Amino acid sequence: MPPALCLLAEDLFRAMAEAVNATNAWLRLYRPRRVVLRTSAHEDLAESAQAGRTVSLLNCPPDASALLRTIDQDLLTTENLGGGSGACIMVQEQIEAPLYGVAFYEDGHLTVEATRHADGITAGRPPQTHTRVEGNRLHITTQESLIPGMLLTRRLLQSCRLLHEHFGFGVDVEWAWTGAAVVVLQVRPITRSLLERAA
């Protein structure tokens, strides 16, 4: 998983200088070439699943002052953060890949959505590929023949199984596909069962 820094919105409102110091320390430690900024929009809470409401800003420079200015000007709004306490901005190393998406794994079932846009599915765009695995059955719907459906699905199934076993819950995984490997960007509990999603 690429390194990330989570900045709580309430801390950003109260102590911007401390946020700059923390971001500087994180940048010195991990030395990312490009950074992505993401809002939480409260999508990850058990009682609130709002996938597609996050805002992602790609190709940000690894400069703490510039990042915090962008956060202050463009991301610290009630609409972007969902209101209330616990909202955050995530600063993460940006992974360059030809394919990005989300995968949901629970009770041996896998659902995968993929797109060529780094912020595509998490920002609410329709997927270019949709895959379902149930036991030994595989169903792939794709708008592009060049997307490596079988290989990608096999690798995601392996990764999601391992994450499920490690964390002990059904996983909602954001990922990037390098062409040879799956890079896990984020992992969180599934907020709705896969059966509910299918319905």
Side-chain angles (χ1 to χ4, degrees), residues 16 20 37 63-75:
M16 190 61 84
V20 170
L37 299 173
D63 175 274
S65 295
L67 290 171
L68 272 294
R69 252 190 328 273
T70 300
I71 289 170
D72 187 44
Q73 293 170 0
D74 299 334
L75 299 179

Side-chain angles (χ1 to χ4, degrees), residues 3-4 22-32:
T23 305
N24 262 324
W26 182 83
L27 290 169
R28 281 194 306 274
L29 181 63
Y30 293 107
R31 301 178 187 272

Side-chain angles (χ1 to χ4, degrees), residues 2 34-36 38 56 58-59 92-104 111-123 125-131 144 147-148 152 156 173-179 181-186:
R34 303 305 285 168
V35 172
V36 59
R38 290 193 176 132
S56 297
L58 306 172
N59 297 310
Q92 188 173 37
E93 180 181 356
Q94 185 171 318
I95 299 298
E96 299 300 326
L99 208 58
Y100 303 87
V102 293
F104 305 95
T111 299
V112 177
E113 295 179 346
T115 181
R116 296 205 180 275
H117 305 284
D119 64 341
I121 293 171
T122 57
R125 291 187 192 184
Q128 293 169 298
T129 297
H130 183 86
T131 305
E144 287 193 40
I147 290 178
L152 174 59
L156 280 167
V173 178
E174 285 183 37
W175 54 267
W177 170 252
T178 66
V182 169
V183 178
V184 174
L185 303 177
Q186 291 186 54

